[in-house]
Amino acid sequence: MRTLLVVLSLFFGHSGWAADAPAAAPKVDTETMAYLEEGGFNMGVPFVEMQPYGDGWFIDQTPEHYVSLSGFYMDQTEVTVSDFALFLNKAGGDAYFHPHQPIAKKAGEYLPLNEHAQEPIRQVTWTAADAYCKWAGKRLPTEAEHEYAAGGAEERGFAWGDSGAHCGTVNLFSGQSYCHGHVRDVASYVDGATPEGIFDLTGNVAEWVSDYYGDYEMGTETDPAGPEEGTYRVIRGGSYLDAGPWQKTTARYSAHPQTRSEAVGFRCVYTDDMEDDVNRGDLKTPKTTSGDRVQSGVSVPGDVVGAGLIQPLGLTLMDGIFYATEKNVGFVTAVDPADGDVSIVAEGFETANLLTNDGTHLYVTDTTAGAVVQVSLAGTKTEVATGLSNPTYVVADANHVYFSDDTTVYRASTSDLEPEVWAGDLDGVAALTLNSGNLYFVEAGTSSATNARVVKMNTTSAIENVLVANSPSIGTAFLPKALSITADGSQLYFPLQYRNWPWYAFPCSVSTSGGTVSCQTYSPPQPVGMEHMNGTIYWGTRFTMTQYTPGNDAAFSHVGAWTRPGAMLQDDGSLYWVDQIDGRIYRHTPEND
Amino acid sequence: MGLRGVLVLALLVGAGCEGCEETIDSCEYALNGTCDEPANCALGTDTTDCDEACAAGVDTHLFEAACFERAGSVSGEPRYADAVGSGGTSTQVGVVDGMLMIPSGCNSSTPVPRHYRLYVPSNYDPTQPAPLVVMMPGHRVSIYELENYTHLPRTAEQQGAIVVYAEQEWRDLWGHCAGLASQYEFKWAWWTDWDWVNAPNSNPDLMFLEQLVETISDLYNVDRRRVFAVGHSRGGAMSVIAALELPHIFAGAAPQAGFTEFGYDARMNAYTGRVVPMYILHGAADPDVSVGASDYIVTILEGLGGGEDDLFYHRINGVKHRWQPQYNEHWFEYLAARPLPEEVLQ
């Protein structure tokens, strides 16, 4: 038999059948890769004196040094789960399989899980990533190649440009809220691609590169491959777990090559001189299979009743439809919670800040334009006031709309829209709310003047009643930041925030008839709103939605971790808020606790 | 044997050779110098070629499965050697918030809330003990701000470790600390400013940290040989204190921009316990806590017997008062390689 085999082998030669063929490996398809022209760039960041508490970079990104690179192809996407399963089936096997990967091993075959096949592979060691790229006829990029592909010769700060790292361009953690808290399919962020069409070079999963980790050196380099030896391998490109500084094209860190992470994958590069003698063919990707997997370590902070908003800030509810301002794109947008439909009602605001409704119309403050605008549901915009200085807060009932700028609270009839000064000569306004025929507002004051107040103003008589006046504990040091009143109108709640870093806060209360201020617990920093609902107060901070039940809870707790609330409201026993980062509208219903 | 079936079919189609399957029955006789497992042959069939190829270790990316098969390796092996698990059974991963009531440092008869936030990595497996990193923020820093600048979830995911951010006591003018502080003393602060001469054993932070580790150990399967005290600035100072005061709990410490003050240096100098491994970092350009503060800590630790095997110190040029997350993997692995001696475990 052995003789016959040799004869057959000679007969069929290298392109013959399997016994004479090397292990199966895919053809290199440069159509799925982007070509980076030969060129040069300044790698890293120049050393300038570091700020005490934070920069967009870290010391190991210095010194900036000039690097010349030969041309190379780079995968347009991170290597997918499906790609990697093929590698396991054809060459890698259990050596590179790990149960934490979104791959099931069934009857000796490695099958991508249904919902994960086009996500980037993760939970892979550097060794596995290196082996995959070699098997695919490619190699891992050097960190210089990765930075060049991400930043280009123009040395962009991010893959797509110099600014704009948000959930529309990159899957990240903002430091306050997660865009998703888990990986997404590759190439989901079209706006985050490089000019050459390479996706997810920042965010989604970070990526192993070939270099050992070490300090940069001064001087010009050509096709650098990093230190010749070391312990750790470099990781580039940030992940869904990483905040802005780690999404920069220059950002780098490292890990032991035998470790694996949910947030680290890889992609490969290819150069024309890499032809090998491996017999390559068009390999069929494996079918997917069903199976459960822990998707992520991060859960959402409430029920999602709307999604897809772009940096929303304001929120109001009218006839079962949510209306939100999308601050920086200048839209007022409707979200129907019944079907999730999102539609633009009005656009063209310079800065669409907060909004409210009178039951038939919306009212929007445009801070940059200095205007307050009435918006019909058909999209007609009517200016209520112009020439204001930073108009921000706006509240309304059926008869009047009240709004404020830096020094004045105004009122306009909802029928004639003629504004009048309702309270003037104020030193900043920090909140407005309406309840039972009274308007409540906060005069912000300054740290150099003891003039912070919480004022109750009768909407008929315009008589002012100061509920909270300056005291040694507020005014110069602290500032009320929002207002919420109990359903019976008897008690006013407000978060009191320290004026300076780190912006400590307390949820406090006072009777709407006046009296002693009570602050029973402390709070995470920087409150942004407050709602009293069924005996519990809820307030958003920069990081979380927090709750506290006076007289019942020993201290505050969290409705849900990691959310950056914008405006919040309550309706029918539920709390709603927009997340400024992830663009969702969340609902929290206490009965669900 | 599905792969072999494919092979036979390829032979028949490619060669047009009737009956070939009877004379060439497996990859066992390929003997062409190329290991064809597992791409074209069942594992274990192309024996001679694969034995030689695996021994040579060249181009193993093409047939690593065959070598792995021969080595009898198994994936999913325990990540940390000789771990001792606490046995907690929770499977909840991600962010978990909690709170303990601990006597106040202002008034020991008044329990006050001490919040904490856990990050449990998505690959956490309750059957495998996980190291625990206790992260302590600096003066006035909340545990919620901490994640953004320490980037520890990244390390938790990479290392399969649990991270807990531990809250300092809120020293509250209107509450339990009334009369002890001015209005500007509203702050989160560790009780590093403690009476270390007369009341070293009643420090509320040590009670909190001990209860915190026990609480998390009850919830999760914590590797009690790999519980690390880590902190920045005042939290760095507290991490050193925690390591030396609770050396039976904390296997090691990794302070950044830490210091020692309020007489604790004298207590350090009198320390007679085991040498606790430490990985110390400090920005050489730190304007808030001079790098001399860590120099001083290192000098004391060296006097206590700390040497190159258990004391690592790096002054980072150009760095100011800021946590340096790019070193997270480095201090973690340094400490993970130096677990708590088993005989120290209570």
Side-chain angles (χ1 to χ4, degrees), chain A residues 39 93 136 138 180 183 193 250 259 286 310 312 316 409 456 537 539 555 587:
Chain A
K138 308 175 186 177
H180 292 277
V183 301
T250 54
T259 57
I310 304 168
T316 192
V409 176
K456 172 183 176 182
I537 47 175
W539 65 102
R587 175 181 60 208

Side-chain angles (χ1 to χ4, degrees), chain A residues 5 8 19 21 297 472 504 556 558, chain B residues 24 29 32 36 94 115 144 183 186:
Chain A
L5 175 72
L8 285 169
Y504 308 146
F556 68 83
H558 302 293
Chain B
I24 305 172
Y29 302 104
N32 63 345
D36 292 317
H115 294 84
Y144 311 104
Q183 69 177 41
F186 287 101

Side-chain angles (χ1 to χ4, degrees), chain B residues 287-329:
Chain B
D288 297 298
V289 178
S290 165
V291 69
S294 282
D295 293 348
Y296 183 42
I297 290 175
V298 169
T299 300
I300 296 174
L301 292 174
E302 287 174 340
L304 297 175
E308 60 182 25
D309 290 341
D310 41 45
L311 179 60
F312 180 91
Y313 180 37
H314 180 31
R315 299 162 118 246
I316 315 170
N317 287 331
V319 166
K320 293 190 174 180
H321 198 59
R322 186 185 189 190
W323 181 265
Q324 298 295 306
Q326 71 272 32
Y327 294 109
N328 286 357
E329 302 299 320

Side-chain angles (χ1 to χ4, degrees), chain B residues 232-248:
Chain B
H232 181 247
S233 192
R234 192 169 189 148
M238 193 63 219
S239 72
V240 173
I241 294 171
L244 297 182
E245 298 296 327
L246 304 170
H248 56 291

Side-chain angles (χ1 to χ4, degrees), chain A residues 75-367:
Chain A
D75 287 344
Q76 287 180 288
T77 69
E78 291 154 340
V79 171
T80 66
V81 172
S82 184
D83 295 335
F84 195 78
L86 181 65
F87 163 65
L88 296 180
N89 286 322
K90 296 297 182 183
D94 277 356
Y96 300 120
F97 173 65
H98 193 279
H100 291 150
Q101 293 160 357
I103 293 171
K105 187 178 180 184
K106 294 184 176 178
E109 193 172 5
Y110 302 94
L111 301 174
L113 297 182
N114 288 335
E115 304 300 319
H116 303 278
Q118 292 309 308
E119 293 172 352
I121 186 66
R122 59 272 192 194
Q123 301 286 1
V124 286
T125 63
W126 180 91
T127 310
D130 179 61
Y132 173 93
C133 287
K134 288 175 178 171
W135 169 77
K138 308 175 186 177
R139 60 173 170 79
L140 282 172
T142 66
E143 67 170 324
E145 287 169 337
H146 198 284
E147 184 168 325
Y148 184 63
E154 60 270 39
E155 298 157 20
R156 298 181 298 272
F158 299 100
W160 58 87
D162 284 326
S163 61
H166 55 72
C167 296
T169 51
V170 58
N171 185 11
L172 52 57
F173 171 59
S174 72
Q176 299 153 4
S177 179
Y178 286 87
C179 293
H180 292 277
H182 55 79
V183 301
R184 299 191 70 202
D185 284 356
V186 298
S188 292
Y189 291 82
V190 175
D191 291 342
T194 68
E196 293 81 9
I198 307 176
F199 298 93
D200 303 315
L201 272 172
T202 61
N204 218 21
V205 288
E207 297 171 14
W208 290 111
V209 295
S210 59
D211 306 47
Y212 282 113
Y213 177 78
D215 291 336
Y216 289 160
E217 294 184 3
M218 295 292 289
T220 298
E221 294 182 294
T222 300
D223 292 328
E228 292 185 0
E229 56 185 28
T231 303
Y232 302 98
R233 297 285 183 173
V234 175
I235 295 171
R236 283 280 183 154
S239 77
Y240 71 90
L241 279 175
D242 293 317
W246 297 97
Q247 307 297 347
K248 301 293 285 285
T249 53
T250 54
R252 59 195 299 253
Y253 70 106
S254 63
H256 193 283
Q258 293 309 315
T259 57
R260 59 184 87 238
S261 166
E262 182 69 9
V264 180
F266 66 98
R267 73 180 73 219
C268 311
V269 296
Y270 173 76
T271 54
D272 289 328
D273 60 357
M274 288 183 65
E275 291 181 15
D276 56 27
D277 60 359
V278 175
N279 194 20
R280 298 186 178 279
D282 294 317
L283 303 184
K284 191 175 180 181
T285 54
K287 295 177 182 175
T288 60
T289 188
S290 60
D292 294 328
R293 178 175 192 274
V294 174
Q295 168 75 342
S296 163
V298 185
S299 57
V300 293
D303 303 328
V304 178
V305 296
L309 298 170
I310 304 168
Q311 297 176 293
L313 180 61
L315 182 69
T316 192
L317 177 63
M318 183 165 62
D319 296 332
I321 304 295
F322 289 100
Y323 298 89
T325 50
E326 297 178 285
K327 184 177 178 181
N328 294 323
V329 294
F331 295 166
V332 172
T333 302
V335 179
D336 186 344
D339 58 13
D341 185 52
V342 177
S343 58
I344 297 172
V345 176
E347 54 190 333
F349 294 93
E350 291 186 45
T351 303
N353 209 313
L354 298 176
L355 84 169
T356 190
N357 76 83
D358 64 4
T360 55
H361 290 85
L362 303 168
Y363 297 88
V364 182
T365 53
D366 186 331
T367 308

Side-chain angles (χ1 to χ4, degrees), chain B:
Chain B
M1 298 301 287
L3 284 169
R4 186 184 298 195
V6 172
L7 169 67
V8 170
L9 181 63
L11 284 169
L12 290 172
V13 173
C17 173
E18 288 187 22
C20 285
E21 74 278 16
E22 295 177 1
T23 53
I24 305 172
D25 73 346
S26 82
C27 286
E28 185 178 356
Y29 302 104
L31 290 178
N32 63 345
T34 298
C35 172
D36 292 317
E37 303 170 14
N40 297 322
C41 305
L43 289 171
T45 51
D46 190 9
T47 51
T48 303
D49 285 340
C50 288
D51 286 347
E52 291 177 357
C54 292
V58 179
D59 292 336
T60 53
H61 55 279
L62 295 170
F63 47 83
E64 184 71 332
C67 302
F68 198 73
E69 179 90 353
R70 281 161 174 73
S73 302
V74 291
S75 55
E77 69 277 6
R79 201 163 186 175
Y80 295 99
D82 303 319
V84 175
S86 63
T89 56
S90 174
T91 57
Q92 184 178 358
V93 299
V95 178
V96 180
D97 287 307
M99 183 183 78
L100 296 172
M101 297 300 289
I102 302 293
S104 165
C106 290
N107 180 351
S108 61
S109 63
T110 304
V112 294
R114 302 292 290 270
H115 294 84
Y116 61 88
R117 171 165 285 187
L118 287 169
Y119 185 90
V120 182
S122 52
N123 61 8
Y124 171 73
D125 176 354
T127 68
Q128 302 292 333
L132 174 65
V133 174
V134 181
M135 178 71 209
M136 307 177 205
H139 187 197
R140 296 186 177 209
V141 177
S142 83
I143 56 175
Y144 311 104
E145 292 168 288
L146 201 58
E147 179 159 315
N148 190 27
Y149 75 87
T150 58
H151 283 268
L152 283 169
R154 189 166 75 186
T155 304
E157 291 287 349
Q158 197 84 37
Q159 300 288 355
I162 296 170
V163 173
V164 59
Y165 305 97
E167 187 186 44
Q168 304 168 86
E169 181 175 339
W170 178 262
R171 303 193 191 183
D172 188 342
L173 171 66
W174 288 337
H176 56 277
C177 288
L180 295 180
S182 76
Q183 69 177 41
Y184 297 105
E185 292 297 315
F186 287 101
K187 60 187 179 184
W188 280 288
W190 295 105
W191 285 104
T192 53
D193 50 335
W194 194 247
D195 183 353
W196 293 111
V197 174
N198 299 305
N201 297 321
S202 59
N203 183 291
D205 291 337
L206 297 174
M207 295 181 201
F208 170 48
L209 294 171
E210 191 162 8
Q211 286 192 34
L212 182 62
V213 172
E214 294 303 327
T215 298
I216 299 167
S217 296
D218 287 343
L219 287 170
Y220 291 93
N221 194 10
V222 170
D223 180 359
R224 294 302 299 259
R225 296 190 66 200
R226 291 178 176 84
V227 179
F228 310 129
V230 179
H232 181 247
S233 192
R234 192 169 189 148
M238 193 63 219
S239 72
V240 173
I241 294 171
L244 297 182
E245 298 296 327
L246 304 170
H248 56 291
I249 292 176
F250 292 105
Q256 288 192 23
F259 54 87
T260 180
E261 60 178 11
F262 305 110
Y264 193 76
D265 53 341
R267 185 167 170 81
M268 282 180 73
N269 276 314
Y271 178 77
T272 57
R274 74 180 183 93
V275 174
V276 181
M278 293 201 196
Y279 191 107
I280 299 174
L281 297 173
H282 206 127
D286 190 331
D288 297 298
V289 178
S290 165
V291 69
S294 282
D295 293 348
Y296 183 42
I297 290 175
V298 169
T299 300
I300 296 174
L301 292 174
E302 287 174 340
L304 297 175
E308 60 182 25
D309 290 341
D310 41 45
L311 179 60
F312 180 91
Y313 180 37
H314 180 31
R315 299 162 118 246
I316 315 170
N317 287 331
V319 166
K320 293 190 174 180
H321 198 59
R322 186 185 189 190
W323 181 265
Q324 298 295 306
Q326 71 272 32
Y327 294 109
N328 286 357
E329 302 299 320
H330 304 194
W331 57 253
F332 183 93
E333 296 212 346
Y334 183 90
L335 296 178
R338 293 163 176 76
L340 193 68
E342 281 191 77
E343 62 270 20
V344 176
L345 274 179
Q346 289 183 328

